Amino acid sequence: MLSEIQETIVKSFQVLQTTQLVKDKYENILEHLDSGIILFDRNGMLTFINVQMARLLGVSRSSIRGCSLTQIIRHSQMGRFNKRKILRIYKETIIYKKRYHELSDENGRYWLLTVTYGDQMDGDYLISAKDVSDHKQIEQTAYQNDKLAMLGKISASIAHEIRNPLTAIRGFIQLLRPHLLQLGKDEYARIILMEIDRANDIICEFLNSSKPSAPQTITVPVLPLLKEVVLLTESEALLKGCEIVLHEGQSALNISVDVKQIKQVILNIIKNALDAISDLGHYHIGIINLEVKEDLDNAYIHISDNGKGMDHNTLARLFDPFFTTKLSGTGLGLSVSYRIIKNHGGFISVNSTAGEGTEFIISLPKV
């Protein structure tokens, strides 16, 4: 009888030990996932958080384990940005019953949050956060390319329809010109022809804006190119009380580009920066910084300002054709810039915070 009891105890101990080993193994896997994991029990107390989620929240795991949601929000280590995000997730999950949320952090990375609760969780709430920035970038690039391609088709169609009647009008005016000359009204014909030519030039400019030509590339050093752009914009910057600072590093760095097109891109960005600084009023001291960096394959042109910045909604549509926040803007400048950099085999990205400023990063292949 005693031996049977001892055998049962040993078996129970072995089962317990095996269960604990399995539990430790799975906890170890969860702790080191590249996705963030956090678990709340039915009473709202945090029972588990892995390394990645703690890093996202900017707190140590030991300091918040066993805390309630209210205690976490009041945590001294947690930043205001993360507190706002947590409150937003709580509101949308509890009040609006949403199970999926897409958020961006301070570094511009996108995260997909999934909330699991209900009968299968026995009253617990499991929140997972997965980095989907690469997928988001691919999606945005494909969407942008589709819109730019559509813009090119529309522009070509409009230009063709307008050019045909203009050509006919020009021909008839030239036929009438000798009769107008006899009447002493040759000046009228000259003005009409000049205005028709001006209309044709506007159409050509619009076509070039919506569908930039293939780049005619030459090898140039980056810094002299940037210096030329600074010289072109310096006087306008002074009038608006701004300073353009070119950080002269990486002097030997060369790129193969269409100089005219790349100048157009940088001028567009600097002029937008000047407008963003002007919107803050005359008493705001504006600074625009230009800096060149590199890695093994690419040169990076950083253009940052301390203007009014942009909110998330503006950032999401920034490179859309015809989207503008200016009263007199066409909304083509940045969409054209995006196409030009893409045609050069590069990429253009932007980071911005409302009220703090904006930074554009132009990536171009090195020679």
Side-chain angles (χ1 to χ4, degrees), residues 139-159:
E139 179 187 302
Q140 288 176 343
T141 302
Y143 182 54
Q144 185 69 22
N145 291 341
D146 287 345
K147 285 189 289 187
L148 288 172
M150 183 60 70
L151 173 64
K153 290 176 183 177
I154 293 169
S155 303
S157 176
I158 291 171

Side-chain angles (χ1 to χ4, degrees), residues 210-322:
S210 60
K211 193 175 182 181
S213 57
Q216 305 297 312
T217 61
I218 59 170
T219 299
V220 293
V222 181
L223 274 179
L225 188 149
L226 292 179
K227 284 179 181 177
E228 287 181 33
V229 176
V230 171
L231 284 172
L232 289 169
T233 53
E234 221 166 18
S235 56
E236 186 180 350
L238 287 172
L239 286 171
K240 293 185 176 182
C242 299
E243 182 184 2
I244 301 176
V245 180
L246 175 59
H247 300 272
E248 298 194 16
Q250 310 293 350
S251 57
L253 186 57
N254 292 330
I255 52 177
S256 180
V257 295
D258 185 315
V259 173
K260 185 181 176 182
Q261 289 188 0
I262 296 301
K263 278 185 180 178
Q264 180 187 346
V265 171
I266 299 170
L267 281 168
N268 271 337
I269 294 171
I270 290 177
K271 286 181 177 179
N272 284 341
L274 289 172
D275 290 339
I277 290 167
S278 298
D279 287 344
L280 295 176
H282 296 295
Y283 299 104
H284 180 72
I285 300 171
I287 297 175
I288 299 171
N289 288 295
L290 277 75
E291 188 175 5
V292 181
K293 297 181 181 179
E294 66 173 320
D295 61 16
L296 194 62
D297 302 312
N298 299 300
Y300 299 94
I301 301 170
H302 293 248
I303 306 169
S304 59
D305 66 71
N306 62 342
K308 65 177 183 178
M310 292 175 278
D311 58 26
H312 180 73
N313 292 331
T314 303
L315 274 175
R317 299 189 59 195
L318 195 61
F319 297 108
D320 288 3
F322 303 114

Side-chain angles (χ1 to χ4, degrees), residues 330-344:
T330 61
L332 284 172
L334 286 176
S335 66
V336 173
S337 298
Y338 181 93
R339 173 67 70 88
I340 288 172
I341 298 301
K342 181 177 175 292
N343 286 350
H344 279 78

